[in-house]
Amino acid sequence: MKLCWIHPTARNPALEPLWQTIHQTVSASVAKEVQLDFRFLEGSGGFTRSLYAEHLNSVLMVEAALKAEADGYDGVYLGCWNDPLWEAREMLNIPVASVGEQSMLAALAIGQRFAVITVSDKTAGAIERDIIGYGLGDRCIARPVRTIQPFSDAGLLLEAVHAPAERLIPRLEAVAHECIADGADVILVGCAYYGPLLRRAGYRLVQGTQVPVMDSSTVALKYLEAMVGVAQCTGVAKSSAGLFAGITPANIAQARKSLGLV
């Protein structure tokens, strides 16, 4: 089984310790027979904390997903909560997983009501939009997506590689206790990078509670393994009716050509 993890940005050399740690941590979680490769975007602006910037970035992510399918991968993983999941599913014929949808579905199996703690208010808005779109509003708390304060930045990401207890965990726990008071019994880490870093550090429960803090990235990646397994056993990777029905190749080719993608 060959899986391709697509990052939402270009490979910023300043974050190399983060990339190396994330890749090592999540690669150790997949089954032995799974080949997991990581790809970054070419030409990405490296910014998704804007509805418009996310929209632009989504085009590049779907293009990378199409390339992965053409290169023979069995499944594609969109490694950001700001993801073009349905757009990619429309275009690909192999399983496509996202951090958000797959970890939310996993939360339904281990708790009654989940909450997501993310890295900025703009990201929170995008995730809440997805919760509504996925029809999961009844299985999360009121105001289900909340943000650490101050917001995450590159400095916090790099610090969390070696010392998440310094600033990241206190910021997350301050919000997590509010979510628990409002009924959450599962906390999802609303960032594709912080989840593996917290799990690597052994952080799995909100302090003083039995509420799990889910490494959303690794959980969603394991779900992709299962999705590919189901597709290989049954021959069904997705529905080809309704929203994900195939599009006339000539129409898509014209749209891609108009944007200079081909």
Side-chain angles (χ1 to χ4, degrees):
M1 183 187 297
K2 291 176 58 180
L3 305 180
C4 184
W5 173 310
I6 297 173
H7 286 284
T9 65
R11 187 163 191 157
N12 181 350
L15 295 176
E16 197 59 34
L18 173 69
W19 308 137
Q20 293 289 341
T21 302
I22 293 294
H23 294 179
Q24 291 169 4
T25 302
V26 299
S27 293
S29 302
V30 298
K32 292 181 179 179
E33 67 273 13
V34 173
Q35 174 185 326
L36 175 61
D37 297 326
F38 300 87
R39 292 187 174 183
F40 292 82
L41 302 183
E42 296 182 8
S44 170
F47 182 73
T48 59
R49 294 183 188 180
S50 150
L51 296 179
Y52 182 58
E54 178 189 353
H55 181 69
L56 295 174
N57 212 58
S58 291
V59 175
L60 299 179
M61 291 193 79
V62 176
E63 288 295 306
L66 288 166
K67 178 68 164 54
E69 182 178 38
D71 289 343
Y73 285 93
D74 300 301
V76 166
Y77 182 83
L78 303 177
C80 183
W81 282 75
N82 298 83
D83 64 74
L85 176 62
W86 287 359
E87 292 85 347
R89 284 204 181 132
E90 178 192 54
M91 292 300 297
L92 273 64
N93 295 306
I94 58 175
V96 181
S98 72
V99 182
E101 186 190 56
Q102 272 51 68
S103 66
M104 290 183 208
L105 293 177
L108 304 187
I110 65 173
Q112 183 183 19
R113 296 194 185 281
F114 68 85
V116 183
I117 299 178
T118 190
V119 295
S120 75
D121 284 346
K122 284 283 189 176
T123 307
I127 296 173
E128 188 157 359
R129 178 187 61 195
D130 286 343
I131 290 174
I132 295 169
Y134 300 154
L136 299 177
D138 289 339
R139 291 296 301 275
C140 54
I141 64 172
R143 205 161 60 84
V145 190
R146 306 187 188 187
T147 307
I148 61 171
Q149 300 289 341
F151 295 166
S152 170
D153 57 20
L156 187 66
L157 273 170
L158 288 172
E159 179 183 275
V161 171
H162 302 293
E166 290 295 320
R167 291 189 295 165
L168 173 60
I169 290 176
R171 292 185 193 183
L172 186 141
E173 289 221 322
V175 184
H177 282 290
E178 295 176 1
C179 294
I180 293 168
D182 289 340
D185 57 4
V186 180
I187 301 295
L188 303 181
V189 180
C191 170
Y193 302 140
Y194 284 128
L197 296 178
L198 290 168
R199 180 173 59 83
R200 179 173 175 267
Y203 181 76
R204 292 178 173 83
L205 297 174
V206 177
Q207 185 175 5
T209 77
Q210 291 300 308
V211 175
V213 177
M214 182 183 288
D215 170 5
S216 303
S217 296
T218 300
V219 169
L221 187 61
K222 296 298 290 185
Y223 264 61
L224 178 58
E225 284 187 46
M227 291 165 66
V228 173
V230 169
Q232 291 176 341
C233 289
T234 67
V236 178
K238 68 168 190 177
S239 172
S240 293
L243 191 64
F244 301 144
I247 306 299
T248 305
N251 290 340
I252 289 296
Q254 179 59 38
R256 295 176 74 222
K257 183 178 180 180
S258 69
L259 294 177
L261 298 173
V262 291

